[in-house]
Amino acid sequence: MLSIVVITYILLIQQPYQTYQLETIEAALASTVELSCSVGQNIEPTSPAKIIWIRDDRADIVSLDSVITVRDRRLSILTMTSIDREERILRITNVEEQDHGLYRCIRGDITLNEILLDVLIPPRITSHAPEDMRMIVREGKDARFSCTATGRPTPTIVWQVNGLSRPTLVTTIAGTNESVLILRNVSRFDSGRVDCSATNTLSTVNRQFLLDVKYRPTVTVPFHWSYFRVNDSPTITCLACSSPPPTTFDFFRPKHANPITKGIKDKFDEVLNQTCRQLTITLHLSDTSLFGAYVCRAKNIAGISHAEFIIKELIQSTKHMKSISEEHALTPTSIIITTSSSTVTKNDEPSERHIEYSYKSNTVATGIIAEKNQAFQLSTSLLLLIVLLFVASRC
């Protein structure tokens, strides 16, 4: 047992320089770094061996004592000598990415020190899709973006859509640092900026994409129906919002392919912003043919939409209203249809339910008018009787 201990002690004495630990030094690009190697002069003073710096991954001898053996002006050796120690410091100025690696300082067959030089590299986005930084897609479809980034440490990629993080929609491709963002069933509200940011301990870089979602027009009018008299001049506005802007935007009569021209007193088309236009017309209702249903229709490459409104004739006298009501009590001439683009029937005709409702409404209106006329006649007769009695009493 004693002999084993003695042998172990002798081996430790003969290997005094194998007690080093691997050291890691981080250096940024363009910085200056110094790698230190030292040996005690009181150990093996008669050893003729030189202190050598070796680049392990390339098997290059960088220096012999104080002499640089490679052609690189960025490298130099600083020699520092004291009573008990001798140092050979390898200085690297303007550090480059290629300087990354393991450096060993040896003397003879003894390794004095090992240093891993970790060159920190800011993140770089090396590829991205779409390459022109612009994505055009129709509403309801999917949009796919990708970014690949490099750097040391490996950068983290984060996606934002109009300033909001979307981590649940991101996929990282195994074996690469490629990140993919897939927006499912995009809507018009997704239009705008899509940002890909790559970050490590040094800095952050990003790529900014433009997402352009195309959608068919949304058409609105301020009223679905309204009453006017003959020779009135109503003003109607129609708002259409879409991307791209409508190629067709005008007022029509139902089932007519051409815009209306009859009765138009004034017409004004205004661009409100990049997606919305407003069309305003003033009609002169010179005859009864101008009353009825109208359609504001807008069309672009993504589709077509419309909104319907009805201009009804306001009957001017109670007597005329009673006559019209009695003659047409059983016809659906006063039906009001308030349909939008999503509820128009195939033939643009009112349903039986609407006809029945109109019929009942006209019947009730006729009864009310008749009762009012009877009350008026009774009041007139009583007033006349009172006047006669007053005249007779004066006589």
Side-chain angles (χ1 to χ4, degrees):
M1 181 67 180
L2 180 60
S3 60
I4 296 176
V5 173
V6 172
I7 294 173
T8 303
Y9 176 76
I10 293 173
L11 291 175
L12 290 175
I13 292 297
Q14 292 178 348
Q15 305 289 336
Y17 308 118
Q18 294 183 1
T19 59
Y20 66 88
Q21 292 182 348
L22 178 64
E23 181 182 1
T24 300
I25 296 179
E26 293 183 345
L29 289 176
S31 66
T32 298
V33 64
E34 294 182 349
L35 311 182
S36 178
C37 176
S38 63
V39 59
Q41 289 191 1
N42 57 346
I43 300 176
E44 298 185 6
T46 59
S47 174
K50 298 179 180 294
I51 297 176
I52 300 173
W53 277 104
I54 295 179
R55 175 76 181 271
D56 249 21
D57 56 342
R58 297 182 182 178
D60 289 340
I61 296 177
V62 177
S63 70
L64 292 173
D65 277 339
S66 59
V67 179
I68 297 296
T69 59
V70 294
R71 293 182 179 180
D72 194 334
R73 294 182 178 180
R74 298 178 304 112
L75 306 182
S76 61
I77 294 292
L78 302 179
T79 300
M80 300 182 65
T81 304
S82 62
I83 297 176
D84 60 344
R85 305 201 67 79
E86 183 179 3
E87 285 192 81
R88 294 289 186 272
I89 300 173
L90 175 62
R91 171 181 282 184
I92 307 174
T93 61
N94 193 23
V95 171
E96 299 176 356
E97 184 176 351
Q98 64 185 11
D99 296 326
H100 176 86
L102 182 65
Y103 293 79
R104 295 175 63 225
C105 173
I106 63 174
R107 186 176 188 180
D109 58 353
I110 300 172
T111 299
L112 303 177
N113 201 5
E114 279 188 341
I115 299 176
L116 175 62
L117 178 59
D118 189 8
V119 178
L120 302 181
I121 302 172
R124 292 195 299 258
I125 296 178
T126 56
S127 65
H128 53 77
E131 292 185 358
D132 61 356
M133 313 298 290
R134 183 182 178 91
M135 171 72 72
I136 300 176
V137 62
R138 288 198 179 190
E139 192 170 37
K141 301 296 183 179
D142 296 343
R144 186 182 187 275
F145 302 86
S146 70
C147 273
T148 301
T150 61
R152 190 180 296 116
T154 301
T156 301
I157 298 178
V158 175
W159 292 90
Q160 286 188 330
V161 180
N162 292 321
L164 300 177
S165 180
R166 307 291 284 269
T168 59
L169 307 177
V170 176
T171 302
T172 301
I173 306 300
T176 68
N177 200 33
E178 179 183 5
S179 181
V180 177
L181 171 70
I182 300 179
L183 298 176
R184 306 284 186 187
N185 191 27
V186 295
S187 73
R188 63 196 68 183
F189 305 107
D190 292 319
S191 292
R193 286 176 41 184
V194 177
D195 293 288
C196 165
S197 300
T199 303
N200 68 7
T201 56
L202 294 180
S203 62
T204 298
V205 294
N206 61 33
R207 291 290 181 272
Q208 189 177 105
F209 303 90
L210 176 63
L211 175 59
D212 187 4
V213 179
K214 303 298 183 184
Y215 56 93
R216 71 177 188 171
T218 300
V219 181
T220 55
V221 292
F223 63 86
H224 291 294
W225 59 270
S226 188
Y227 283 94
F228 296 95
R229 297 181 178 88
V230 174
N231 290 322
D232 279 351
S233 297
T235 297
I236 302 99
T237 59
C238 179
L239 178 68
C241 296
S242 67
S243 179
T247 54
T248 300
F249 184 37
D250 217 324
F251 288 93
F252 300 80
R253 298 305 291 262
K255 300 182 181 179
H256 286 71
N258 297 322
I260 60 172
T261 55
K262 183 180 178 181
I264 293 182
K265 184 177 180 181
D266 193 16
K267 190 174 184 179
F268 181 66
D269 190 351
E270 180 182 7
V271 177
L272 301 181
N273 51 46
Q274 293 182 344
T275 59
C276 293
R277 287 171 58 186
Q278 180 173 281
L279 184 62
T280 304
I281 62 169
T282 300
L283 294 174
H284 178 59
L285 304 176
S286 57
D287 60 71
T288 56
S289 66
L290 295 173
F291 293 96
Y294 289 82
V295 172
C296 178
R297 186 181 302 150
K299 178 183 179 181
N300 67 359
I301 61 173
I304 183 171
S305 299
H306 71 269
E308 183 175 310
F309 62 95
I310 298 176
I311 298 178
K312 296 294 294 180
E313 182 180 3
L314 179 64
I315 305 302
Q316 300 185 23
S317 67
T318 304
K319 183 177 179 181
H320 188 203
M321 181 180 292
K322 177 182 178 182
S323 174
I324 294 298
S325 299
E326 290 175 347
E327 290 178 4
H328 303 284
L330 298 179
T331 63
T333 55
S334 60
I335 295 172
I336 297 172
I337 306 173
T338 59
T339 59
S340 65
S341 60
S342 61
T343 60
V344 175
T345 60
K346 182 177 181 180
N347 297 319
D348 288 339
E349 296 179 353
S351 65
E352 294 180 0
R353 183 176 180 182
H354 289 109
I355 295 175
E356 180 182 354
Y357 174 78
S358 177
Y359 170 74
K360 290 180 179 180
S361 299
N362 289 334
T363 303
V364 173
T366 303
I368 292 173
I369 293 172
E371 290 179 0
K372 287 184 177 180
N373 289 338
Q374 291 178 359
F376 177 75
Q377 292 174 1
L378 181 60
S379 300
T380 304
S381 300
L382 290 174
L383 180 61
L384 180 60
L385 180 60
I386 292 171
V387 172
L388 292 175
L389 291 174
F390 176 75
V391 172
S393 64
R394 298 284 291 183
C395 293

